[in-house]
Amino acid sequence: DAGITQSPRHKVTETGTPVTLRCHQTENHRYMYWYRQDPGHGLRLIHYSYGVKDTDKGEVSDGYSVSRSKTEDFLLTLESATSSQTSVYFCAISEQNPTAYEQYFGPGTRLTVT
Amino acid sequence: ELKVEQNPLFLSMQEGKNYTIYCNYSTTSDRLYWYRQDPGKSLESLFVLLSNGAVKQEGRLMASLDTKARLSTLHITAAVHDLSATYFCADLSTAEKLVFGKGTKLTVNP
């Protein structure tokens, strides 16, 4: 298994509170991604990173911010959580190996916003 | 808008039968990915298809890619209960981003 951990694994929070999810990798891969998974929508990309301090938006980035100060850590922040952000969040990593860009997924974080 | 469409979205089949899941995508990409997800679990990479005509097989699953038709298929041969899961295809939309289909929930009944 790729060395990817996510924390916390489960979180319940109230509307309006800030929340930070952490993704940690031990593979030294260049690319890191945050997805959310909701019934009927598959996986949708929130933000991704192509290197330390290099990030870009995905399909559903509104209400989310990210930071990557070290290769191994990619943080996802919900500045003011809303009920629509209740979801399962997956982190993924990939490397150009050689051109496959195959992504490996972490175990997921189940977030409930009440 | 980049799209990846899978069908069917739900598939109930009997053990021992064959079936195919279809994945249509809208880009000109020559790379297509298949993942498996068990309930409450993460996604597991099954196949990476890197060129037109690519075919890969693992046990009872075989995936193929036709870039001219923008179509990938996941064929299940002689299904067994252990194959029950949700299967996702994903298209490489740019050099580093995947676009996922909505998934096909497969249930294999005894």
Side-chain angles (χ1 to χ4, degrees):
Chain A
D1 289 346
I4 312 169
T5 56
Q6 293 184 230
S7 59
R9 294 293 312 280
H10 301 271
K11 186 168 182 68
V12 179
T13 192
E14 293 185 348
T15 298
T17 59
V19 176
T20 295
L21 309 182
R22 180 183 183 233
C23 177
H24 179 78
Q25 61 148 328
T26 58
E27 306 295 323
N28 202 36
H29 280 8
R30 177 183 175 191
Y31 299 102
M32 299 185 75
Y33 308 81
W34 276 109
Y35 293 90
R36 60 178 289 174
Q37 183 175 32
D38 304 290
H41 288 279
L43 275 83
R44 292 180 292 175
L45 182 65
I46 304 171
H47 281 280
Y48 70 102
S49 170
Y50 45 96
V52 173
K53 293 194 168 84
D54 292 323
T55 65
D56 205 349
K57 295 179 180 180
E59 177 188 358
V60 289
S61 60
D62 287 349
Y64 302 95
S65 62
V66 290
S67 65
R68 191 171 179 197
S69 59
K70 298 185 289 185
T71 298
E72 57 265 36
D73 290 325
F74 192 33
L75 303 180
L76 177 71
T77 298
L78 290 66
E79 302 289 348
S80 176
T82 67
S83 59
S84 65
Q85 293 176 312
T86 292
S87 188
V88 179
Y89 291 85
F90 286 100
C91 173
I93 64 174
S94 75
E95 191 59 83
Q96 188 177 1
N97 183 28
T99 58
Y101 292 105
E102 185 174 6
Q103 292 187 16
Y104 302 94
F105 284 80
T109 294
R110 183 172 295 274
L111 176 67
T112 302
V113 183
T114 61
Chain B
E1 180 186 350
L2 301 174
K3 284 188 177 179
V4 177
E5 295 184 347
Q6 289 182 237
N7 69 84
L9 297 183
F10 299 91
L11 176 55
S12 180
M13 56 191 298
Q14 285 191 312
E15 283 190 330
K17 299 293 187 182
N18 304 333
Y19 209 84
T20 300
I21 299 170
Y22 297 89
C23 176
N24 290 93
Y25 58 96
S26 62
T27 72
T28 56
S29 168
D30 59 358
R31 295 166 199 171
L32 197 289
Y33 305 76
W34 285 96
Y35 288 86
R36 169 182 171 144
Q37 185 180 37
D38 293 304
K41 303 293 186 181
S42 185
L43 279 78
E44 172 192 355
S45 179
L46 288 176
F47 300 110
V48 179
L49 303 170
L50 295 178
S51 61
N52 184 43
V55 177
K56 289 197 173 180
Q57 183 162 4
E58 179 75 31
R60 300 174 187 272
L61 299 177
M62 184 174 71
S64 65
L65 179 62
D66 181 346
T67 58
K68 292 183 174 59
R70 299 182 185 174
L71 172 67
S72 180
T73 61
L74 181 65
H75 187 71
I76 303 153
T77 301
V80 293
H81 180 70
D82 285 352
L83 290 179
S84 296
T86 299
Y87 294 86
F88 292 93
C89 64
D91 177 31
L92 189 70
S93 67
T94 65
E96 62 275 346
K97 291 194 289 186
L98 296 183
V99 177
F100 283 81
K102 293 185 178 181
T104 297
K105 185 175 182 180
L106 172 66
T107 303
V108 181
N109 302 305

